[in-house]
Structure formats: C-alpha cells, structure tokens
Amino acid sequence: MAMEKLSSKYRPHFWYVAIVSFLLWLVLLYLFNSSVKTVHNHERLFRQENIIDLPVHVSQQNHETDQVVVSDVDNITLPVTGNDSSQEVQISEDAKVVTDLVEELEKENVENEKKRGDSGLSGRSTRSRRGHRESQRVRSSDKKRVRHNDDDESNVDNSDENHQPLDKEPNFIEPKNDVTSIKERANDNNDVEISKQGKDDQKTSNNNTSKVKSRVSAKRNRPRVVVRPRVTRRNDPCRGKYVYMHDVPSLFNEEILKNCWTLSRWTDMCELTSNFGLGPRLPNMEGVSGWFATNQFTLEVIFHNRMKQYKCLTKDSSLASAVYVPYYPGLDLMRFLWGPFPFMRDAAALDLMKWLREREEWKRMDGRDHFMVAGRTTWDFMRTPENDSDWGNRLMILPEIRNMTMLLIESSPWNYHGFAVPYPTYFHPSTNAEILQWQNRMRRIKRRYLFSFVGAPRPNLGDSIRSEIMDQCKASRRKCKLLECVSGSQKCYKPDQIMKFFLSSTFCLQPPGDSYTRRSTFDSILAGCIPVFFHPGSAYAQYIWHLPKDIGKYSVFIPGKNVKEGKASIERVLSRIPRAKVVAMREEVIKLIPRLMYFNPSGKRGDAGRFEDAFDVAVEGVLGRVEGLRKRIEEGNEEVFDFPERFSWKYNVFGNVEKHEWDSYFDRR
C-alpha cells in the first residue's frame, strides 16, 4: 500500500517531465531543421565549380565539356557548366571562323597558282609525255632524297604530319597546297626550277598558315557574340533606352529584406528598409512634404523599386540596350561584416556570378551590357583573396563584375568599371510640385552663418584635415557654426537637426573622412548650401554624370594640403567671394537638387519628365557607357579600353589621360 501511494504521489511529476522532454525535443528538432535548411541554401556556394581559378575539368565517363568564358578585361578564364546546345553553338561558331579563314587562304593559293602558271606550263607538258618507268624511277629516287634531306623544312613538316600520333588534334586549317606542292616536286626530279618554286610555295604556305592561326586566336579572344538590341520604330520614345531586369532568385534580394533583423546589431534595419527602402516617414520640413529617415546604405532597395517604375523597362531582352541585376550586395555583405565566418561574405556573390554566366543575356557581350547597384563604398568590396580576414568581400575584383558597370555611392579612381551615384538623402518627393516648392523655399531663406561643419575628428588618420577645420571654425565663432559629432551626441543622427543646421549656412565644408566622399555633401546641397571641397576625389572625380564639369559654378575648392600646413584661412577665402558670385553659385546648387535626390518609388507623378532624379541620370549614364563599349567591340578593337586603369578617374573627368594638376592627389606610387 505504501508503494502504491508513493507511485501515485509522483505519477503527475513523471507526466510533467515527459511533457517537458517532448517539448524540448520538438524545439531541438526545429533548430536542427533550420540549420539544415540554411546549409542547404548555401552548400552549392562552395562547390568546386564555383571556385573561379579552377581549370576546366572534362569528364571521361560522361564526355561532357565545360564551356569556358574569357574575360577580356583581365584575361581570366572562368569555367562555366553549359548545356549541350550551348556547346554546339560554340563549336559551330569556331568552325565557321575556321572555315572562313581556310576559304580565304585557298583563294590566295589559287591566285599564286595562276601567277606561276606560265612558268610551269612547259614543265607540266614535258612531264606528262614521260613514260611510266621513268616516272616510277624518279619517284623512287625522290623518296630517297626525302628520307636523307634533313635540311628541307617542308619535308620535315610532311614527315611529322604523316606520323602524327592518334591523340593529337588534327589541324583543320592546314592548307591543301602543302600536299600538292610536295607531289609536284616528287614527280619532277630533273626540273630544278620547279623544285625551287615548290620550296618557295611551301614557305609561303607555312607563313600563311601561321597568319591564319594568329587571326583565329585574335578572333577567339574577342567577345564571342555582340548582339545589338532589336531596332524599334523611329518615333519610339524608348528607342535605345530599353532596360531588361533579370528575375534573380529571391535569395539575392527579397530574402535579405525578410531577414532584415540580421543586417545590423546596432540599428533596426527592418524599419530603415521599409517604405521601399526610404525608411520611416518624417514630418513636413519648411512646409514641404516628402521627408523620410533614409539610411545611407539602402540605395540598392530604392534603386530596385525605382527600376520597377522605369518607363522603358521591358520583359523582352532582345530590345534591351542594358541589363539590370537586382542584387543587394551591400545589405548582403552587412550580414557577415562582423561575423566569425568571413568566407560567407563572398558566398552569395559567387553564386550569383555562376547564375549570370548561364543566362543567354550574359552571353551576348560577356556581361558588358549588365549593371548593378551597391549601396556602400567601393572599398567594402575590394578585399584581396589572400587576405580573407580583412574588411569586406571581393565583389569588385571578380572577373564578371569587372565586365559589368557597377554603381556605388563612392567609386575607386583607379577602376574601369566603378561609377559613383549620389547618396540617398532625406528628401523623396512624390510630385514635381514638391520639388518646385522646396526650391523656392531655398531661394528665400535667410542664412545667418558664412560657413559650417558637421562631423567628427579623425585623429587616427594622419592626413586628415578635420581637426584643423574644426579649429578654424572655433576661431570664427560669429561666422562659422560647428556641430561636433562626438560620442553621445544625438543631433548628428536626427535628420531635422542636420537639415536646420545646413539651412542656416551659406557654405558647407565637406572634407574627406574615412573615405573621399560624404553623405553630408548631398544633404547640404539639398539645403541650398554651397559645398566646399578639399580633395577632388570627394566629388569632382566621383559623380561625373550628376555634377557639372565646371566645378566653379556650384562649389569652392581649397587644397587640403594648404589647410593642413596652415597656409589657407577658410574664412578669408570664402569672405573674398563677391556677393553676386555667391548668389549665382547658390542658384546653381538649387538647380542641382532634382538630379541629386531620388523620387519616392510609390509616387505617381502625373507631370513626370519635367525633372530627372539621380536614378534617371544614372540609367542614362549606364546606357551611354554600354553603347560606347558596344561600338568599340564592333569596330574590332583588341582592347575595350585604350588607357591604363590607374588613369580611369582622369579619363572619366576630362576624356583624356594627359598630365593634370590633380595627379598628385591620385598618385599611388
């Protein structure tokens, strides 16, 4: 009885333990399935075919041959697994090139035959009247001569051809004239003139063969196929402006946003990527609506949503002059920047490159008509392969990306393929009326201070001039307004506070920080404040499509070296500018506002077309660049670019690589 009472007493506890154990088992099973799913989504990223530097492997069992893509920019060979149809197309293209060149060579040989027809006519008639015995005796004696004459280059070549091993590829472009000339020399041992002529023919034929081989090699090094967009009617408003958008797997964009909580440890990126990437809506500023708390790293989302509204977006890739890849490389990288697995930073990018290489649109120009947007500076995507633990990933140095056009908020002055586009600001109007209203407000506003600076010092950067700028601003208290972004200060992160700060100043100082460019540049221009630059890489050599070539019309340039050495007084330089000049510069800045901001993707502009925003200007720049590359390839240029890559900044700004006063700013030696 005692045992029964004891068991009945603890029976409920056993059930509790069993239930808790079952629930714990379910939780563990869920976590295990989630991890398996994550590994499954990324396991293909690390397969052998995704390693770019691996050689092409040919399977002897399946007799499948991998297609090889050659990047003309840096001559790196990429293995691409293709289907049988693409292989047949490639083989047919090579065969066509070979056939055309062989026909061309045969025509040359026919012409040579005609030229020597008169001199060889008597020899041939005499040779035809000779008897069978004499001919047989001559051929036997000539065979001995062929065996013992090691100095005759043509005979050595003929011997090699006859004893060619079975595993050696036959030479399909070898001209038929070689065999013909050898037979003629064997049939006439007494005709010395004909024999010498045969040797000359052999040498000529060998020279022609080497020329043919070089021409085949040159043609194969160029892009395989260059297809122009299908021509539409002349009155088509989108003629030459059509853009095709790849339907990439959701792994590269939508799933990144769905898992927005993984993007940052310190910032709520789910809130900042809302509203099509514009972030939370803000109250009206200066009586004008269209303001959002936009994060500077969400440009990829904004651009993607603007592309969905692009008036010349097409689903027919044959019409497209350019192809857009809606990948979010900056947000993808953000997930793993501070993680323990640096190799994950490259995983999705490598997977996307493999996906692109298999698309028919890519094969038209080896990706030279493709473009992509990254909402971070170029330095975040230039990690070298030998330093996996360094900052960022290696997206910008991948061979496929080097063929594309990359749009970033800051580009490298020494890269062919990177082009800078404006940082996203806080202003995203839905109508042109809101732009006009804001511009008129900027013209009437009164500005109390001569110049101002918003930022933090960079004591760890030896060449930074921020400390000197802040010291000069403190010395000019009545004319300079300083907002020092020290630790604990919240004003530097509040859009309304920053904009009010710029609205009160005539000039806004924009020195380099961790990199050349600053988002503050575009916030200040939005406020009608004239920017002051201290390095040409902060704007002039960056936003070549969006800013005027005449830098003096909208900005002031003070060499940073003069400020660092105490040779330049910022207050004195700015005070000497005539008032009429200041008014003209401010008007130019106000006119630039539409080109440097991004429209609200959800807005429906009934009067669209009056203003072009930063998106429209960027797409126009991409279309112009792709058209230039297409023409150079069609003209048969061996190199797409005819200037060294380290002078890219100079060519993009001035159209040449001649010596310039800014060379010292970009000299990497």
Side-chain angles (χ1 to χ4, degrees), residues 306 431-436 439 591 594-595 597 599 605 607-613 616:
R306 284 286 286 114
T431 64
N432 291 333
E434 292 176 341
I435 297 178
L436 293 172
Q439 287 179 316
K591 291 180 180 179
R595 297 172 59 88
M597 58 88 192
F599 276 115
R605 293 180 293 155
D607 53 352
R610 180 171 183 176
F611 292 112
E612 287 186 336
D613 70 340
D616 296 322

Side-chain angles (χ1 to χ4, degrees), residues 155-168:
N155 292 333
V156 173
D157 294 340
N158 188 45
S159 176
D160 292 340
E161 185 177 358
N162 293 334
H163 297 85
Q164 191 176 34
L166 295 177
D167 58 346
K168 183 178 179 181

Side-chain angles (χ1 to χ4, degrees), residues 245-478:
M245 181 166 59
H246 272 304
D247 186 15
V248 301
S250 60
L251 172 69
F252 303 113
N253 44 42
E254 294 180 3
E255 290 188 14
I256 295 177
L257 295 182
K258 289 180 180 178
N259 298 309
C260 54
W261 55 274
T262 65
L263 298 179
S264 176
R265 300 179 182 179
W266 307 276
T267 308
D268 184 6
M269 292 301 296
C270 293
E271 183 181 24
L272 294 176
T273 54
S274 61
N275 289 326
F276 305 97
L278 305 181
R281 185 177 290 273
L282 296 176
N284 294 357
M285 191 174 300
E286 297 293 330
V288 181
S289 60
W291 296 88
F292 297 82
T294 305
N295 185 271
Q296 66 177 2
F297 297 132
T298 61
L299 177 60
E300 303 154 355
V301 185
I302 298 173
F303 202 97
H304 185 195
N305 287 292
R306 284 286 286 114
M307 180 59 72
K308 293 177 181 178
Q309 290 186 331
Y310 180 55
K311 61 182 180 180
C312 296
L313 184 66
T314 178
K315 294 183 179 180
D316 185 358
S317 61
S318 66
L319 294 174
S321 297
V323 180
Y324 169 60
V325 182
Y327 170 46
Y328 301 161
L331 297 181
D332 176 41
L333 173 63
M334 188 183 296
R335 299 182 294 177
F336 308 107
L337 272 177
W338 295 274
F341 307 109
F343 59 86
M344 290 297 295
R345 303 172 191 170
D346 300 310
L350 293 175
D351 199 26
L352 177 64
M353 296 305 104
K354 181 178 182 298
W355 185 90
L356 284 174
R357 294 195 304 264
E358 295 173 351
R359 307 274 78 78
E360 291 298 325
E361 291 79 13
W362 179 271
K363 298 174 184 177
R364 295 189 305 189
M365 292 180 63
D366 282 343
R368 289 176 177 81
D369 56 349
H370 283 52
F371 70 101
M372 185 190 299
V373 180
R376 301 183 71 93
T377 66
T378 188
W379 318 112
D380 293 333
F381 306 103
M382 297 191 68
R383 191 194 79 242
T384 55
E386 58 270 14
N387 298 319
D388 288 339
S389 60
D390 284 357
W391 178 263
N393 66 11
R394 54 193 180 100
L395 176 72
M396 286 293 291
I397 66 175
L398 295 179
E400 298 89 350
I401 293 295
R402 289 179 60 81
N403 278 6
M404 298 170 59
T405 301
M406 283 294 298
L407 306 182
L408 311 102
I409 55 178
E410 177 179 333
S411 64
S412 168
W414 310 289
N415 278 353
Y416 286 131
H417 56 296
F419 293 84
V421 294
Y423 285 75
T425 63
Y426 302 116
F427 187 45
H428 305 281
S430 298
T431 64
N432 291 333
E434 292 176 341
I435 297 178
L436 293 172
Q437 187 179 0
W438 178 257
Q439 287 179 316
N440 292 332
R441 185 72 184 94
M442 293 303 97
R443 293 184 178 99
R444 297 194 304 266
I445 198 169
K446 294 182 179 180
R447 303 179 186 271
R448 177 181 176 183
Y449 297 95
L450 177 64
F451 62 103
S452 63
F453 174 66
V454 179
R458 292 291 188 272
N460 297 329
L461 299 178
D463 57 347
S464 175
I465 62 172
R466 289 197 173 194
S467 296
E468 287 76 11
I469 286 178
M470 296 173 74
D471 291 341
Q472 289 199 28
C473 187
K474 292 175 183 178
S476 304
R477 293 183 179 179
R478 294 184 178 181

Side-chain angles (χ1 to χ4, degrees), residues 155-289:
N155 292 333
V156 173
D157 294 340
N158 188 45
S159 176
D160 292 340
E161 185 177 358
N162 293 334
H163 297 85
Q164 191 176 34
L166 295 177
D167 58 346
K168 183 178 179 181
E169 276 190 25
N171 191 351
F172 294 108
I173 61 174
E174 199 71 34
K176 298 178 180 179
N177 188 59
D178 297 346
V179 180
T180 304
S181 59
I182 293 174
K183 289 182 178 180
E184 288 182 357
R185 292 199 305 273
N187 289 334
D188 190 5
N189 190 33
N190 297 326
D191 197 338
V192 179
E193 183 179 355
I194 297 297
S195 177
K196 291 182 178 180
Q197 193 171 3
K199 291 181 180 180
D200 295 339
D201 295 342
Q202 177 70 15
K203 293 180 180 180
T204 304
S205 177
N206 290 336
N207 293 335
N208 292 338
T209 302
S210 62
K211 291 180 180 180
V212 170
K213 290 180 178 179
S214 63
R215 279 180 285 184
V216 170
S217 177
K219 288 192 175 183
R220 284 177 176 171
N221 287 335
R222 301 174 189 168
R224 294 185 303 278
V225 179
V226 178
V227 179
R228 276 202 164 271
R230 187 155 51 87
V231 180
T232 58
R233 63 183 187 277
R234 292 185 178 179
N235 59 348
D236 184 2
C238 291
R239 186 175 184 179
K241 300 180 181 179
Y242 282 108
V243 174
Y244 175 78
M245 181 166 59
H246 272 304
D247 186 15
V248 301
S250 60
L251 172 69
F252 303 113
N253 44 42
E254 294 180 3
E255 290 188 14
I256 295 177
L257 295 182
K258 289 180 180 178
N259 298 309
C260 54
W261 55 274
T262 65
L263 298 179
S264 176
R265 300 179 182 179
W266 307 276
T267 308
D268 184 6
M269 292 301 296
C270 293
E271 183 181 24
L272 294 176
T273 54
S274 61
N275 289 326
F276 305 97
L278 305 181
R281 185 177 290 273
L282 296 176
N284 294 357
M285 191 174 300
E286 297 293 330
V288 181
S289 60

Side-chain angles (χ1 to χ4, degrees), residues 20 141 225 625 630:
V20 171
S141 63
V225 179
R625 180 176 189 265
R630 185 180 286 113

Side-chain angles (χ1 to χ4, degrees), residues 463-466 468-469 472 509-512 531-538 540 551 555-571 573-574 660-665:
D463 57 347
S464 175
I465 62 172
R466 289 197 173 194
E468 287 76 11
I469 286 178
Q472 289 199 28
L509 309 183
Q510 304 297 342
V532 179
F533 298 111
F534 303 87
H535 193 289
S538 295
Y540 308 143
I551 62 177
S555 67
V556 177
F557 180 70
I558 302 176
K561 183 179 180 180
N562 295 346
V563 176
K564 186 74 173 178
E565 297 174 353
K567 298 179 180 179
S569 170
I570 299 175
E571 178 183 349
V573 171
L574 299 179
H660 195 270
E661 59 181 333
W662 290 349
D663 287 348
S664 59
Y665 289 95

